[in-house]
Amino acid sequence: MREPIDFYFDFTSPYGYFMSEKIDALAARFGRQVRWHPVLLGMVFKTTRTEPPVSVPLKGDYVKRDFARMARWLEVPFELPATFPIATQAAARTYYWLHDQDCALARRFAHAAFQALFRDGRDISAPATVVDIAAGLGVDAQALSAALQTDAVKARLKAENEAAMARGVFGAPYVIVDGEPFWGVDRLAQIERWLETGGF
Amino acid sequence: MREPIDFYFDFTSPYGYFMSEKIDALAARFGRQVRWHPVLLGMVFKTTRTEPPVSVPLKGDYVKRDFARMARWLEVPFELPATFPIATQAAARTYYWLHDQDCALARRFAHAAFQALFRDGRDISAPATVVDIAAGLGVDAQALSAALQTDAVKARLKAENEAAMARGVFGAPYVIVDGEPFWGVDRLAQIERWLETGGF
């Protein structure tokens, strides 16, 4: 059995959301599993001296147009939320807390959180909103709310973020297939070819 | 007759070189012409507070790998030159000076300059190298050398750069099809679809 594909993302990235809608099905076509890793791009951008694309002069207008066009290209429902970009600590911490109990549930939560933000326009920076989304999947809201306050849960996300950067993750989505890194949802066709042929 | 497609690039960008090998043939398939516009990304990056990708921590290693992989993906001969990235004032000024006399010759020069840098590893930041490449196409070396010293030629490039930024160009390659902007050679498939369908 081959190593799973690694998929790094930040819940605030539309391109990460698009990848989240595609990567599992693509991997499954080649009999492969995917490990999901939410990260905080804000921390990564400190290392890379980078700003969120929407904050960059000239580039900001372009990427908003590109988000919508890429959504149409990939046939993924999408609407840019009113509050954007957002902090995603609560969603990412929830993901890892769930993952340590039930990794399939964590995956369902990740889809629900992305869709809440990019289909329903909900501001998932608010812990209460994240807890509400998780509760909709049957998660114990009180236990999750308490967990989000703990140092252990905070440290877990920090460690995951550092591990991602140690693997070279400087942006998102970032996908690693058998050691080969692909940055951006625009590399989907190359990822597909790599899975088909083992490299090109 | 429809407006030509606009293609903005910096001679130091491998992704711009890849686009230069593809865009004319793609446009021709749809009966369209392409206007080429060399720009200086260094000036653009001052506005966008950006660094060359190869200079960014973590990202630098990735993009070098991505250059080579994208070249294989697009089946374009490519080798990263020993001196990279480079200043491209001499090449860009030469392009516009030639263009004002013979636009087909300017196009041939642009291909030759890109190929000198990314196939033969020649450092085209040196004006003498640029003049030598142009001379190989039958250009009067003395006249070109003299022209490159003039304020008019320098001002021409500056004006082109400012015009590009006024159109929203924040990176390269940057292609505009009927008002629709596409940043990056990774948007080639989308450009093709846009040309086929008039939008999606």
Side-chain angles (χ1 to χ4, degrees), chain A residues 135-148:
Chain A
L137 299 170
V139 173
D140 180 330
Q142 281 196 308
L144 172 57
S145 294
L148 290 178

Side-chain angles (χ1 to χ4, degrees), chain A residues 120-194:
Chain A
D120 306 328
R122 296 181 74 183
D123 179 0
I124 65 166
S125 67
T129 304
V130 169
V131 170
D132 186 57
I133 292 165
L137 299 170
V139 173
D140 180 330
Q142 281 196 308
L144 172 57
S145 294
L148 290 178
Q149 305 296 328
T150 65
D151 288 344
V153 165
K154 293 176 184 176
R156 174 74 197 277
L157 174 58
K158 194 159 180 283
E160 292 285 346
N161 229 60
E162 282 163 7
M165 282 194 279
R167 285 201 76 188
V169 174
F170 61 86
Y174 196 93
V175 171
I176 304 178
V177 180
D178 303 327
E180 185 73 13
F182 297 89
W183 172 47
V185 73
D186 39 38
R187 293 296 182 278
L188 260 175
Q190 294 189 6
I191 293 170
E192 182 175 10
R193 173 92 65 88
W194 205 271

Side-chain angles (χ1 to χ4, degrees), chain B residues 103-177:
Chain B
C103 61
L105 178 60
R107 187 73 50 103
R108 290 199 298 281
F109 165 76
H111 280 297
F114 263 136
Q115 292 171 8
L117 179 59
F118 291 120
R119 296 187 188 186
D120 306 329
R122 295 182 73 184
D123 179 0
I124 64 166
S125 67
T129 304
V130 169
V131 170
D132 185 58
I133 292 165
L137 301 169
V139 174
D140 180 330
Q142 282 196 307
L144 171 56
S145 295
L148 290 178
Q149 306 295 328
T150 65
D151 289 343
V153 165
K154 293 176 184 175
R156 174 75 197 276
L157 174 57
K158 196 158 177 283
E160 292 284 348
N161 230 59
E162 282 163 7
M165 281 194 280
R167 285 201 75 188
V169 175
F170 61 86
Y174 196 94
V175 171
I176 303 177
V177 180

Side-chain angles (χ1 to χ4, degrees), chain B residues 77-118:
Chain B
F78 170 77
E79 196 163 346
L80 193 66
T83 306
F84 178 84
I86 59 162
T88 56
Q89 279 87 343
R93 287 172 185 153
T94 296
Y95 176 88
Y96 288 113
W97 182 74
L98 290 173
H99 188 269
D100 291 342
Q101 304 167 65
D102 179 341
C103 61
L105 178 60
R107 187 73 50 103
R108 290 199 298 281
F109 165 76
H111 280 297
F114 263 136
Q115 292 171 8
L117 179 59
F118 291 120

Side-chain angles (χ1 to χ4, degrees), chain A residues 47 55 59 62 77 83 95 109-110 116 136 142 149 154 176 181 188:
Chain A
T47 298
S55 308
K59 192 173 187 176
Y62 174 83
T83 306
Y95 176 87
F109 165 77
Q142 281 196 308
Q149 305 296 328
K154 293 176 184 176
I176 304 178
L188 260 175

Side-chain angles (χ1 to χ4, degrees), chain A residues 7-22 41 45 52-54 60 63-72 74 76-81 83-86 88 114-115 117-119 172-173 184-186 188, chain B residues 187:
Chain A
F7 165 40
Y8 297 87
F9 60 95
D10 185 314
F11 281 106
T12 196
S13 162
Y15 300 124
Y17 158 63
F18 303 150
M19 184 66 88
S20 79
E21 296 278 320
K22 298 292 179 185
L41 281 181
F45 287 169
V54 291
V63 294
K64 285 179 198 164
R65 188 174 193 141
D66 191 58
F67 292 155
R69 189 173 62 200
M70 186 63 82
R72 298 193 302 270
L74 296 173
V76 173
F78 171 76
E79 196 163 346
L80 193 66
T83 306
F84 179 83
I86 58 163
T88 56
F114 263 137
Q115 293 172 7
L117 179 60
F118 291 120
R119 297 187 187 185
V185 73
D186 39 38
L188 260 175
Chain B
R187 293 297 184 276

